[in-house]
Amino acid sequence: MLTIAIIGRPNVGKSTLFNRLVGKKLAIVHDMPGVTRDRKMAPAKFKDLDLEVIDTAGYEYSTTDNMESRMWRQTQMAINDADLCLFLYDARAGVQPYDEQFADLVRRTHKPVILLANKCEGKQQENGVGEAYKLGLGDPIIFSAEHGIGFDALYVELLQIEEAKQKAEAETPTVATIGMIPEDFEPIKDDRPIHVAFVGRPNVGKSTLVNALLGDERMLTGPEAGMTRDAITTEWVWQGHKFNLVDTAGLRRQSKVTNSLEKMSVESTKYAANMAQVVVLVLDADAVLDKQDLTIARNVLDEGRALVIAVNKWDIANRKEALEKLNYKLETSLTQAAGVPTVTISALKKEGLDKLMRALLKVYERWNIRIPTSPLNKWFADVQEQNPAPLGKNKRRIKLKYITQAKTRPPSFYIFSSNPEGLPESYFRYLLNSLRQTFNMGGIPIRITVRKADNPYADKEKK
């Protein structure tokens, strides 16, 4: 497999090429320069080539420790991890000073480089390709990521590099690893990764938390709010369990989201949360569960995802006041998922991270729970004996016959009744809370649907 870093100055079409190669619109594409800030990775199948593609931030020179310099460090990491670089420049605008500076830096890495003269949709752009030779990166490929021009030529170049890599690996002697497996090694029970999305308001420390878990500066971080724009997915293994960690853009109140770029970031975050299996809602310890946090939490539960709350910046918080406020909000404003696991952490100091992961795995197990029919119906009989169903609208008692679990993820149940429409909401909540408490299903949404039971004598009466 080839690992490819797509590089170049801002707004030359890197994210468009990234999306084209991976076959999905994973990266936000916008006319505004500098939309991409983190490096984004995804697998791709390009004809018969298996690729790992990295989208990077545009190169902007800076000597101070600001956002541009941190974005450049992310690009450097991508180049270091890559087998080769796809260097894009805008053929419409021609070679710019930043292109030349960036090309000089890339040459020093001694990595293979394929030069793409992007946005060559017409003859006028093709005529200006000649000036690309001043970059010193070899012959440019006439290319258009948006219109699919030049991909056959790109494939030929990649195939040659892949064959050279395979030949070099075949000639490299291998080292025996006998006796390297530790005695306490346990095989991974489930090979499928758990998809975890980190969501929350801007500047609560989501990217810092993901970096702390990975032990790497994988995400761009800084004091500026709204650093993350794309949802960035990273594979990770913790104590034998595979994860896909998804860092997302901060979510502000909908009324404050005005420009098109932020709207795209919000949609990217919502999509990532909806596709996740577990969602970690990251809070600032100084402002726990404000109105926007509660809106995010309710949306997560409404979509049927498992929820964990991580209270960040605990090292500098007024802990007593924060805990009192958090407990009050959970009891009064988030009743639809009583027992949501809440973990206090400091992403910056890497405190409480193991506790967070254990809580995450526990709530994931609950989300996948399947209760056997026998104990489920024993609970159903006991709960009705303690508090029988009330009278229906016709003044006749509602008969709740039996319950069955329809599916998991989230746990969903069918109750069969003689009069499903007449069951009051208060009794419905009573059943839900008892079910959650009896079978330890805190922190996950539960679906209960009341259905009308079949009448076994209906056919006989017709005859």
Side-chain angles (χ1 to χ4, degrees), residues 430-443:
Y430 162 70
L431 292 175
L432 185 64
N433 292 334
S434 177
L435 180 66
R436 189 187 303 279
Q437 185 176 4
T438 303
F439 295 102
N440 189 25
M441 292 193 287

Side-chain angles (χ1 to χ4, degrees), residues 353-366:
L353 303 186
D354 285 345
K355 187 168 57 172
L356 173 63
M357 294 309 301
R358 287 193 292 270
L360 194 153
L361 286 173
K362 179 61 69 176
V363 80
Y364 177 74
E365 289 175 6
R366 294 174 186 171

